[in-house]
Amino acid sequence: MKPFLPIFRRLSSPLAGTLHSNLNANRPRAVIPFPRVLLSPSRNLSAFASSTPRPRFQLPQTNKKKPEKMSTDATTLKGQPLDRAALESMLRRRLFYTPSFEIYGGVSGLYDYGPPGCALQANVIDLWRKHFILEEDMLEVDCTVLTPHDVLKTSGHVDKFADWMCKDPKNGEILRADHFVEDILEQRLKGDKEARGLKVEEKEETDKKKAAKKKKNKGGVEAVKLDDAVVKEYEEILAQIDNYNGEQLGELIKKHDLRNPATGQQPTPPVSFNLMFQTSIGPSSNLPGYLRPETAQGQFLNFAKLLEFNTGQMPFASASIGKSYRNEISPRAGLLRVREFLMAEIEHFVDPEGHKKHARFHEVADVELAFLDRHTQLSGSTVVKRKTIGQAVKDGLVDNETLGYFLARILLFLKKIGIDEKKIRFRQHMDNEMAHYACDCWDAELHTSAGWVECVGCADRSAYDLSVHAKKTGAPLVVRQRLEEPITIEEWDIVIDRKTFGPFYKKDGKTIENALLATTQEQRGKLVKELEETGKAVVDVPGVGDGKVEVSEDLLAIKWVKRVENVREYTPNVIEPSFGIGRILYSLMEHNFWTRASDGGDEARGVLSFPPAVAPTKVLIVPLSSNKDFTPEVRKFSQKLRSAGVSSRIDDSSASIGKRYSRNDELGTPFGVTVDFQTLKDGTVTLRERDSTRQVRAEEDKIIAAIKALVEGAKTWQDVESELPLFEGQQEVEVTVR
């Protein structure tokens, strides 16, 4: 999948500032057993390194903060303006996630999940498995993270898995070039709006904070009115920012005199930076390798075994869930751009001669999606078109049924876990940003306070991966299909005299032989003419000598043959949906966050309205008071919930019931059960629903059955209210139980 830019893709606000890290954040000395940073071999980055210090274990520098810019149109679940700082403060305070190694100063782009974060992630993954692996009868594999150099060299990642970066000549700050251009142009457009008297929403700041911000951004862009033509040009650049290469980004920086607000300096020309972490495998360090940047390669290398496990039946899909690693240039946006993250990827193998039809496409044909195609982006617009996936495939907007089927299934999954459908769009990759293996690719982007963020990539990888690995290794990564009727084939066939060929070319013999066998029929026809005219032929063999190898007629023969085949052999194409779980989790938290006014006039209380299926904890159990008679009832009810497969927590602290419920609303707990004195009398308890705060009361077994139905999605809260008696109030008085 394309780098999370997986996706993963750029973020459409200066939170890009929060999304990336300094180049030397991962430049440890040999004393630290940690992967080394790999720079693109095609570019010389010594100029960057020369003025950048090389500490043994640099941490403080990576923890520098830049002012975050709130997205002016980001809203909460209830339509309130989203306060990102308040949300992130709550998430860290409640230990959804926290910076890794924080007591040592932290390392940017690395985060630990706490108990609620782990539970939320586990529940999302559980639903993902059910929605895709179980529903589609996929074959799950778990492949190693450590990957030999040759595998990723063959796949193209060593040469092409890179982003463009530039450097501030004054303070040495490393900047991701496309984000830098994007941020400055957005600042200028914002200044233009202010100069025109248009309203620009801003979070309220104290005079002290404003003064500090003004001092920190002394090189920033002030309110200046731009010509209409300049505004239009800026908007067009931003609409297609992902389509620019390094040279074009450098030209934009010069043309529009883009300068780092922190120093007022124009950065150096962009250079390519490979995003993979390099390491060595084994004590001798003679086997170079990398931490995998995606889980896909392990699935491709196991294709033949998976096909055999599937009794040779096509089409089929494999799936993998695991950690991947990308050495992001400057990650400074929490979970949205990190260096270690969880991915869930699917490789759906399909026969290309079947026009990539899907047997279940009719089931999703009427699902409507919001599309942002490449032509719209290139015109300088970001207006989406809404249409059903059936119509999109029919019109040729989406290339084929299998690709369209998975786009629809991705939308249904995101909605199921609680993502706001109004904040989902599918953006098509433009030519320059297309991953090297893809012939078509769409991103499921989710709108957050950081703008539109790619969270799922869905690419048609054609036959690229299986073809290059088969060519490199000679492994038969193909499908052999028995034909109903035999077919006659006439073609050029290569015959190699192995008794003399191997000894003649020695260590390069196998590489040259593979190159010959990989030639097309057209190329073989040309080789025949060369052999007839000169007695030798020149073959392209990358990696051997100058890439050209002469083969004489005494070592090679090319004959026109006619044969009858009963088996068709082909390399399948691959459709790949790839999910960035961390980004989805953060978007899920933003989309389900809102604030509830406090009855006492205090500060509004945060609420996370997760669907019950993904909520970290399903039920909060609270005794009315600290009366010891409640303890056995609370424990008994908790045990019944565990037996029913429902997670719960007990809060028997001295705080009021309202405060205890409020604390767990922040954790997204959808239901609360109160054990009170009436429970001791008749065995009934109250059940509270988080969002409405309404309650019902019934016997314990009925309440547990209702909770289980709610968690499994078999019933809604409205159903439960219609079936069980409403409970209007709670008398907090102690009675004597005989």
Side-chain angles (χ1 to χ4, degrees):
M1 164 172 190
K2 192 172 188 267
F4 267 129
L5 288 173
I7 288 216
F8 262 34
R9 130 126 173 113
R10 59 99 178 176
L11 303 182
S12 63
S13 92
L15 227 71
T18 324
L19 294 183
H20 296 290
S21 98
N22 295 326
L23 170 63
N24 50 338
N26 285 286
R27 250 191 211 146
R29 297 287 187 180
V31 295
I32 304 296
F34 194 75
R36 299 189 301 273
V37 172
L38 173 69
L39 301 182
S40 174
S42 61
R43 305 301 294 260
N44 182 2
L45 299 185
S46 59
F48 283 75
S50 61
S51 60
T52 308
R54 295 172 177 258
R56 290 177 61 189
F57 189 44
Q58 179 185 19
L59 291 172
Q61 183 175 351
T62 66
N63 214 25
K64 289 182 179 178
K65 297 283 186 180
K66 285 191 173 183
E68 294 185 359
K69 188 191 84 170
M70 297 279 292
S71 175
T72 57
D73 55 352
T75 58
T76 68
L77 178 66
K78 304 294 185 180
Q80 307 152 323
L82 178 68
D83 186 341
R84 179 187 175 101
L87 169 62
E88 291 196 336
S89 174
M90 185 187 81
L91 294 174
R92 295 194 187 195
R93 174 169 50 83
R94 301 318 306 269
L95 206 55
F96 275 87
Y97 66 93
T98 186
S100 302
F101 319 113
E102 190 167 23
I103 64 174
Y104 277 88
V107 177
S108 60
L110 299 178
Y111 289 88
D112 299 331
Y113 286 166
C118 286
L120 180 66
Q121 177 177 268
N123 292 338
V124 168
I125 288 296
D126 181 59
L127 277 182
W128 190 90
R129 277 196 168 96
K130 291 174 180 175
H131 187 83
F132 289 106
I133 296 178
L134 182 62
E135 178 69 22
E136 309 290 345
D137 197 22
M138 296 177 177
L139 308 179
E140 186 173 2
V141 295
D142 184 6
C143 304
T144 178
V145 167
L146 283 173
T147 308
H149 171 275
D150 286 353
V151 172
L152 293 169
K153 176 69 174 178
T154 301
S155 68
H157 286 82
V158 170
D159 298 322
K160 301 176 182 178
F161 200 78
D163 279 336
W164 297 98
M165 69 178 185
C166 47
K167 178 183 177 182
D168 187 299
K170 184 174 182 179
N171 65 4
E173 181 182 6
I174 302 299
L175 308 163
R176 180 165 153 176
D178 57 339
H179 290 183
F180 172 75
V181 171
E182 184 180 33
D183 296 348
I184 301 302
L185 295 188
E186 285 187 340
Q187 288 180 39
R188 291 184 180 180
L189 288 175
K190 177 182 169 183
D192 173 73
K193 286 184 178 181
E194 292 177 347
R196 293 172 186 259
L198 301 177
K199 183 179 179 182
V200 178
E201 294 183 23
E202 287 285 358
K203 182 183 174 185
E204 291 185 7
E205 296 177 300
T206 63
D207 292 339
K208 187 175 181 181
K209 286 183 178 179
K210 286 179 180 178
K213 186 173 180 180
K214 184 175 180 181
K215 182 178 180 182
K216 191 167 186 178
N217 288 323
K218 60 183 179 181
V221 178
E222 299 177 354
V224 176
K225 184 177 180 181
L226 305 173
D227 291 339
D228 291 346
V230 174
V231 171
K232 183 179 179 182
E233 183 179 6
Y234 285 178
E235 289 175 343
E236 289 177 349
I237 291 171
L238 292 173
Q240 52 183 313
I241 190 69
D242 294 312
N243 202 39
Y244 295 110
N245 60 30
E247 182 180 354
Q248 292 168 329
L249 290 169
E251 291 171 356
L252 288 173
I253 291 172
K254 289 183 178 179
K255 177 181 177 181
H256 300 288
D257 191 25
L258 307 184
R259 297 175 179 272
N260 187 353
T263 63
Q265 297 293 311
Q266 192 174 98
T268 57
V271 296
S272 179
F273 174 73
N274 192 288
L275 298 175
M276 291 193 295
F277 285 104
Q278 187 178 24
T279 186
S280 297
I281 303 172
S284 60
S285 298
N286 59 1
L287 179 58
Y290 303 89
L291 302 184
R292 67 183 181 192
E294 61 179 23
T295 69
Q297 296 308 312
Q299 297 182 63
F300 296 132
L301 300 185
N302 282 298
F303 169 75
K305 298 171 185 176
L306 291 170
L307 179 63
E308 181 181 4
F309 181 87
N310 204 46
T311 66
Q313 299 298 309
M314 287 282 294
F316 77 92
S318 63
S320 185
I321 302 168
K323 290 290 186 71
S324 295
Y325 302 82
R326 296 176 183 179
N327 193 21
E328 295 290 350
I329 293 172
S330 52
R332 274 168 266 160
L335 301 182
L336 290 177
R337 190 170 293 276
V338 294
R339 289 173 167 147
E340 175 182 318
F341 52 92
L342 188 66
M343 295 183 75
E345 290 192 296
I346 296 165
E347 309 301 335
H348 181 91
F349 301 98
V350 61
D351 184 350
E353 283 196 4
H355 305 290
K356 301 179 186 177
K357 297 281 187 181
H358 197 286
R360 299 181 62 184
F361 182 72
H362 65 280
E363 297 178 19
V364 300
D366 294 331
V367 175
E368 188 177 79
L369 288 77
F371 294 101
L372 177 58
D373 62 73
R374 63 167 64 99
H375 302 295
T376 300
Q377 296 171 73
L378 290 172
S379 71
S381 173
T382 56
V383 177
V384 300
K385 302 171 184 175
R386 296 198 67 88
K387 60 174 62 181
T388 65
I389 194 62
Q391 191 62 45
V393 172
K394 182 179 179 181
D395 295 344
L397 176 63
V398 175
D399 185 66
N400 57 76
E401 283 188 4
T402 299
L403 184 60
Y405 176 78
F406 279 108
L407 291 180
R409 292 282 291 159
I410 288 167
L411 175 68
L412 296 175
F413 169 73
L414 293 174
K415 289 170 60 178
K416 181 184 293 185
I417 64 173
I419 295 295
D420 187 345
E421 184 178 7
K422 298 187 295 294
K423 298 177 182 179
I424 304 174
R425 75 180 184 189
F426 287 82
R427 188 187 69 85
Q428 188 176 31
H429 280 205
M430 293 171 282
D431 291 339
N432 278 0
E433 64 170 319
M434 192 87 74
H436 61 274
Y437 48 72
C439 61
D440 191 17
C441 185
W442 291 82
D443 288 341
E445 295 185 332
L446 307 182
H447 191 262
T448 70
S449 59
W452 286 99
V453 182
E454 177 218 348
C455 292
V456 188
C458 194
D460 185 338
R461 297 179 78 130
S462 62
Y464 174 82
D465 299 275
L466 294 179
S467 298
V468 295
H469 287 304
K471 182 178 178 180
K472 174 68 176 179
T473 64
L477 303 180
V478 295
V479 176
R480 293 185 174 88
Q481 178 186 48
R482 182 162 292 280
L483 300 172
E484 294 182 3
E485 294 184 7
I487 58 174
T488 301
I489 294 179
E490 294 183 87
E491 63 180 7
W492 293 110
D493 187 39
I494 288 183
V495 180
I496 295 174
D497 185 352
R498 287 186 171 79
K499 290 183 180 179
T500 56
F501 192 91
F504 184 82
Y505 290 108
K506 299 179 181 177
K507 64 181 179 64
D508 294 325
K510 188 63 177 177
T511 304
I512 298 170
E513 180 180 343
N514 289 338
L516 284 166
L517 295 175
T519 53
T520 64
Q521 286 295 303
E522 182 181 359
Q523 290 170 329
R524 292 179 185 186
K526 292 179 181 179
L527 292 176
V528 168
K529 288 185 179 180
E530 290 184 42
L531 288 171
E532 290 176 348
E533 294 172 1
T534 65
K536 59 185 178 181
V538 178
V539 184
D540 291 327
V541 187
V544 176
D546 61 356
K548 302 285 186 181
V549 175
E550 281 191 358
V551 184
S552 60
E553 59 184 359
D554 59 327
L555 300 174
L556 171 70
I558 304 178
K559 301 178 180 178
W560 185 257
V561 297
K562 179 179 179 180
R563 68 179 187 276
V564 176
E565 286 193 351
N566 295 291
V567 176
R568 173 183 167 234
E569 185 174 283
Y570 67 91
T571 302
N573 280 206
V574 178
I575 307 297
E576 180 197 69
S578 183
F579 296 73
I581 300 301
R583 289 186 171 192
I584 291 174
L585 292 182
Y586 181 78
S587 301
L588 179 65
M589 289 184 273
E590 271 206 10
H591 288 197
N592 286 277
F593 174 70
W594 58 287
T595 55
R596 178 156 38 215
S598 172
D599 295 335
D602 298 331
E603 186 176 348
R605 298 171 298 181
V607 181
L608 287 169
S609 291
F610 296 130
V614 300
T617 303
K618 314 305 183 189
V619 182
L620 173 71
I621 307 173
V622 292
L624 181 64
S625 69
S626 59
N627 189 307
K628 64 181 187 307
D629 292 335
F630 292 142
T631 303
E633 291 295 326
V634 168
R635 290 178 177 173
K636 182 178 71 172
F637 193 85
S638 176
Q639 180 58 49
K640 286 184 177 181
L641 283 175
R642 284 197 296 272
S643 299
V646 178
S647 62
S648 65
R649 293 182 72 233
I650 298 172
D651 187 346
D652 55 3
S653 65
S654 60
S656 68
I657 285 184
K659 189 163 290 185
R660 282 182 275 173
Y661 275 137
S662 179
R663 288 194 302 228
N664 281 273
D665 289 346
E666 290 183 333
L667 292 170
T669 307
F671 307 112
V673 169
T674 303
V675 174
D676 55 18
F677 294 106
Q678 189 66 31
T679 307
L680 304 182
K681 286 183 176 182
D682 58 17
T684 63
V685 294
T686 63
L687 175 64
R688 171 191 185 265
E689 195 268 336
R690 173 197 57 215
D691 297 345
S692 66
T693 70
R694 290 167 65 87
Q695 300 182 70
V696 295
R697 187 174 192 107
E699 294 82 5
E700 289 185 358
D701 290 343
K702 287 185 178 180
I703 293 294
I704 289 174
I707 291 172
K708 189 170 175 61
L710 287 165
V711 170
E712 293 175 349
K715 290 182 180 180
T716 65
W717 179 252
Q718 288 72 28
D719 296 330
V720 172
E721 280 194 349
S722 67
E723 296 170 359
L724 300 179
L726 288 175
F727 182 71
E728 300 295 344
Q730 177 75 57
Q731 285 189 329
E732 297 191 22
V733 293
E734 186 169 337
V735 298
T736 303
V737 180
R738 297 185 183 277

